[in-house]
Amino acid sequence: MVLTERTLLGPGPSNPYPEATAGLAAPLLGHLDPEFIKILERTCEGLRALWGTANPVTLPLSGTGSIGMEAAFANTVRPGDVAVIAVNGLFGVRMCEVASRYGAEVVRVDHTWGEPVDVERVMAAHPAPAVVAAVHAETSTGVRSDIAALGAAVRARWDDTLLLADCVTSLGGIEVAIDAWGVDVAYSGTQKCLGVAPGLAPFTFSERAWRRRVEAPPVWYLDLGLLGAYVRGGPGGRTYHHTAPVAMIASLDAALRRIEEEGMDAVAERHRAAGLRLQEGLQEMGLELFTAEGHRLPQLTSVRVPEGVDSAKVRHELLADYGIEIGAGVGEYASSVWRIGLMGHNARLDRAELVLTALRRVLGR
Ligand code: PLP
């Protein structure tokens, strides 16, 4: 497995926790080896702790974060169901696309990019939706939305409506509390704050969602009826589902144990401090942050490219001269915004200072 030696800081794959790399390099176990089953079970247990849930159906899906999004809608949406989806960036747009492919009648609640989800507008969008969905940490803009407030509103008003949350960029970086927030279905990706290579989608599905689930979704591979039996083991024993990516799961297991040892509060504090320092430093340099104050993610900072500066040239120089990758903006902000990730192992003050120093040099500020 080649993980680049560069100091990758962008919103894409970044330097993983060293423990996770060691997990990838460990001797391979067979996917039905009892030793591997123990690792899988420990991983599911570790995910439950990190998600803050008792959901029995909590597992790493085999695929990137998008497979979590796909599984979330495939198992909850029947043709004609109303899905209210908050859109405040690219990944909300993708949710609409996925939900509509499963036949949902999508009620899209658009927000200005860079602003958090407006709970009142989402709640007013439809009298009785089957599903309400939102992105917790919008990687396209660096904004954090208040899923706790959305969950409280959904749970206070509807018994059956399911709440779906995209936690790809939040899990392992900032607080996530699935049960306390009333979230039914959530998914993440290993390559962001969990500090593991890309390839797995941590996933959790509540008992309420299980009762309302689509029994035979049109996509066999993501049928939770099959996947749930694989991780839980039924009365007849564990049901074979597929050849799990054992190296990736060992790597995730190692990263989860590392996060548990450090303590999630300490990990969140490390992300907070690094992100804050980066954001302060960028402003000291005279740069303007893109996302509204009070709603900025520490792990993903978006900043406006100064007038007259060639965005791509700066990104190229940072990568070529300093081994630092920062992301371009998304959509209409492709050349006017940079996105800088400090996630997982990179969420450290020294990394924040490194980016600031390199950027200052490249910009001549
Ligand atoms: N949701 C969010 C918020 C993301 O940031 C991403 C990827 O960056 C995805 C979904 C899709 O995940 P993946 O690219 O791992 O398939």
Side-chain angles (χ1 to χ4, degrees), residues 52-360:
T53 185
N55 291 338
V57 181
T58 299
L59 71 158
L61 296 181
S62 305
T64 63
S66 304
I67 219 162
M69 191 186 287
E70 187 97 29
F73 288 103
N75 287 279
T76 57
V77 165
R78 293 171 181 81
D81 277 356
V82 171
V84 169
I85 303 184
V87 175
N88 63 340
L90 174 73
F91 295 102
V93 175
R94 280 198 190 171
M95 279 182 154
C96 296
E97 170 74 9
V98 174
S100 65
R101 290 208 189 182
Y102 287 95
E105 186 194 313
V106 173
V107 177
R108 181 173 158 153
V109 185
D110 273 294
H111 297 68
T112 305
W113 283 32
E115 291 192 358
V117 168
D118 181 332
V119 173
E120 278 183 24
R121 287 187 51 223
V122 172
M123 293 302 293
H126 194 274
V131 162
V132 171
V135 178
H136 186 204
E138 242 307 342
T139 328
S140 60
T141 63
V143 75
R144 177 204 307 241
S145 288
D146 189 346
I147 301 297
L150 182 60
V154 168
R155 293 281 71 92
R157 181 147 163 223
W158 297 302
D159 286 336
D160 290 337
T161 299
L162 299 180
L163 177 59
L164 275 59
D166 177 316
C167 297
V168 169
T169 293
S170 56
L171 190 67
I174 55 177
E175 188 198 10
V176 174
I178 293 303
D179 289 356
W181 294 352
V183 173
D184 293 295
V185 186
Y187 55 88
S188 187
T190 36
Q191 75 273 25
K192 298 286 199 299
C193 299
L194 291 168
V196 181
L200 291 176
F203 187 82
T204 188
F205 202 75
S206 72
E207 301 275 11
R208 181 183 10 248
W210 188 259
R211 287 193 297 276
R212 286 210 62 251
R213 81 181 195 281
V214 178
E215 298 247 344
V219 48
W220 176 87
Y221 189 72
L222 297 176
D223 179 348
L224 283 178
L226 298 172
L227 290 168
Y230 173 65
V231 288
R232 297 201 284 189
R238 183 177 302 278
T239 312
Y240 170 77
H241 176 65
H242 78 323
T243 313
V246 292
M248 277 302 300
I249 290 174
S251 177
L252 174 58
D253 171 50
L256 289 173
R257 278 186 292 148
R258 191 236 189 264
I259 290 171
E260 191 189 321
E261 268 161 38
E262 187 177 349
M264 190 51 222
D265 287 350
V267 171
E269 174 53 26
R270 184 160 53 70
H271 280 79
R272 192 199 63 79
L276 189 66
R277 176 62 206 123
L278 176 67
Q279 290 165 8
E280 278 170 5
L282 291 168
Q283 288 173 299
E284 282 158 19
M285 228 185 278
L287 301 183
E288 188 192 340
L289 300 181
F290 177 72
T291 301
E293 193 174 357
H295 305 286
R296 291 175 192 143
L297 291 168
Q299 65 271 42
L300 195 280
T301 296
S302 38
V303 55
R304 291 187 191 274
V305 177
E307 201 70 37
V309 169
D310 180 340
S311 160
K313 186 161 172 283
V314 169
R315 290 176 57 235
H316 174 78
E317 278 180 40
L318 284 173
L319 190 58
D321 298 345
Y322 297 91
I324 291 174
E325 184 196 18
I326 67 169
V330 171
E332 66 175 289
Y333 302 103
S335 56
S336 60
V337 165
W338 289 312
R339 293 175 308 137
I340 308 177
L342 290 176
M343 302 179 190
H345 185 57
N346 285 320
R348 302 190 329 232
L349 285 176
D350 61 338
R351 296 300 169 112
E353 295 298 347
L354 186 68
V355 187
L356 289 168
T357 304
L359 195 55
R360 209 174 282 123

